[in-house]
Amino acid sequence: MLTLLVPFADDFQLFNLFRYLTFRSGGAVLTALLICFLLGPRVIAWLKMKQREGQPIREDGPQSHLLTKKGTPTMGGVLILLSLAVSTLLWADLTNPYVWVILFVTIGYGAIGFSDDYLKLTRRSHKGLSGRGKLAVQIVIAVAATAWIVQIAPSEMDRHLAVPFFKDLLVNLSWFFLPFAAFVMVGASNAVNLTDGLDGLAIVPVMIAAACFALIAYLVGNTVFSNYLQIHYIAGTGELAVLCGALVGASLGFLWFNAPPAMVFMGDTGSLSCGGALGGIAVVTKHELVLVIIGGLFVLETVSVMIQVLSFKATGRRVFRMAPLHHHFEQKGWAEPTIVIRFWIIAFVLALIGLSTLKLR
């Protein structure tokens, strides 16, 4: 009798393994990575066929880019989106509404970026969608996603802001939560977009941030760990660890083709969607302020552009040789791989600082 039951017991244990969030998150990483490896060459070949001259290069950018970047296809973010979406749909609990709201933001922002990249290619210009039009659609998607999040979040957390280092402090933003959360998503999306200027520069910080938020989502959605770390528990958010895992795998797979010298650029298709996903996850997990630290490299790049614009309008002088910040170091003579790797180090250090807030609260 026991010998007859053993095989069934083994099958049951194997099936039970798929219920574990950690196992499914790991599966999402590997699946997304495998999809990138399998489809990457085909997608790049198709993009090259459609983009004979590659991505249009800005004439007011670094002059070296006119030679080194010319002919490289863009819109590689399609590969990231495809890998992320398929892996998430395969491994995540599709009854969880948080998964769908983040997919909505990610794919919505990806569609905006795709439209922008497509217009740049067809017009053979670095100008795609109008800045105001692109921003308006981003805001609409972010507001809709925020309203969705408010509806499914627990009432004691739906419109509140958690503050790092203060475990019991929850700020009720009331109606202001809607524009605040929308600002986080739109800001994160455009910050990643500004950082995406050198081969591999943006995708590794995205991967680091996604890995951090996979851990944060898992901890926030687990009653035992959230109580131990004294962070605010939100039921259901743990499932976003699977989506974050898919983003890590997709980013790692894309890096294989985007490492210097890049075979493909992610374009706005990838940068807007990745940033939007990180912003949305930060809003759901109530770690919007921690995102500022973990995504500190994106913040630095964005602030450098703001400082440059304000300084030039006010005084007619530029603080940096060129903005965003990575172009400033290019103009100073730093080699591109040097800038990229040093910025990766900064992103990694900032991520560690951001994660330390989980225990210091």
Side-chain angles (χ1 to χ4, degrees):
M1 188 70 172
L2 286 174
T3 56
L4 292 174
L5 290 176
V6 168
F8 293 100
D10 291 340
D11 291 342
F12 178 76
Q13 291 297 329
L14 182 62
F15 176 77
N16 198 44
L17 192 61
F18 288 87
R19 298 176 57 185
Y20 290 106
L21 186 57
T22 49
F23 177 79
R24 291 187 289 112
S25 298
V29 174
L30 294 176
T31 301
L33 179 63
L34 184 61
I35 292 172
C36 273
F37 282 165
L38 292 176
L39 297 184
R42 294 178 176 84
V43 170
I44 293 171
W46 180 76
L47 290 173
K48 282 184 176 180
M49 183 181 66
K50 296 295 182 180
Q51 306 171 29
R52 298 294 183 184
E53 299 177 22
Q55 174 178 287
I57 308 299
R58 295 178 64 100
E59 294 183 0
D60 57 346
Q63 293 303 302
S64 61
H65 287 199
L66 296 175
L67 296 174
T68 59
K69 310 297 183 185
K70 187 175 181 180
T72 306
T74 186
M75 298 173 76
V78 170
L79 183 61
I80 299 174
L81 280 175
L82 183 62
S83 303
L84 168 66
V86 172
S87 183
T88 301
L89 293 174
L90 283 175
W91 289 100
D93 177 7
L94 300 184
T95 63
N96 187 299
Y98 291 123
V99 172
W100 289 107
V101 72
I102 301 303
L103 280 177
F104 167 71
V105 174
T106 306
I107 296 173
Y109 278 24
I112 297 172
F114 184 90
S115 301
D116 191 46
D117 289 335
Y118 180 79
L119 288 176
K120 289 176 183 176
L121 291 169
T122 54
R123 295 172 179 174
R124 295 308 309 161
S125 168
H126 64 270
K127 295 181 179 180
L129 294 172
S130 68
R132 290 183 179 179
K134 185 161 62 173
L135 184 62
V137 181
Q138 284 180 293
I139 292 173
V140 169
I141 292 175
V143 169
T146 303
W148 192 353
I149 292 168
V150 168
Q151 289 296 316
I152 58 182
S155 58
E156 66 275 11
M157 298 286 292
D158 57 356
R159 300 172 187 270
H160 293 71
L161 173 67
V163 182
F165 307 109
F166 297 92
K167 60 182 180 180
D168 296 321
L169 182 57
L170 268 179
V171 181
N172 187 352
L173 298 181
S174 187
W175 62 268
F176 185 68
F177 180 76
L178 197 67
F180 169 75
F183 173 78
V184 171
M185 296 183 209
V186 174
S189 177
N190 287 289
V192 174
N193 182 243
L194 287 172
T195 307
D196 181 34
L198 299 177
D199 297 352
L201 178 59
I203 196 63
V204 169
V206 164
M207 181 169 52
I208 292 171
C212 291
F213 272 95
L215 177 61
I216 290 171
Y218 178 77
L219 297 175
V220 169
N222 186 292
T223 53
V224 175
F225 289 120
S226 59
N227 287 333
Y228 172 72
L229 294 171
Q230 298 180 325
I231 57 179
H232 300 286
Y233 168 72
I234 305 174
T237 56
E239 202 62 33
L240 292 180
V242 177
L243 191 148
C244 289
L247 181 53
V248 170
S251 300
L252 194 59
F254 181 75
L255 179 63
W256 183 269
F257 306 103
N258 188 236
M263 299 170 62
V264 65
F265 300 139
M266 72 165 73
D268 286 13
T269 308
S271 58
L272 293 182
S273 58
C274 289
L278 293 174
I281 294 165
V283 171
V284 169
T285 58
K286 299 299 175 184
H287 278 69
E288 301 94 337
L289 299 182
V290 175
L291 176 62
V292 176
I293 305 173
I294 291 175
L297 179 66
F298 305 131
V299 176
L300 288 173
E301 294 273 44
T302 305
V303 170
S304 71
V305 173
M306 295 171 63
I307 291 173
Q308 188 85 324
V309 172
L310 291 174
S311 176
F312 187 76
K313 286 186 176 181
T315 66
R317 297 180 179 179
R318 293 178 172 86
V319 176
F320 305 102
R321 295 187 181 184
M322 188 176 289
L325 190 60
H326 57 266
H327 288 325
H328 169 76
F329 291 105
E330 274 193 293
Q331 295 300 312
K332 290 188 68 175
W334 288 23
E336 181 174 336
T338 301
I339 300 170
V340 170
I341 293 174
R342 287 178 178 175
F343 275 43
W344 287 353
I345 294 171
I346 292 171
F348 181 73
V349 172
L350 290 171
L352 290 179
I353 295 172
L355 286 178
S356 71
T357 64
L358 296 176
K359 186 59 181 171
L360 292 176
R361 287 186 187 180

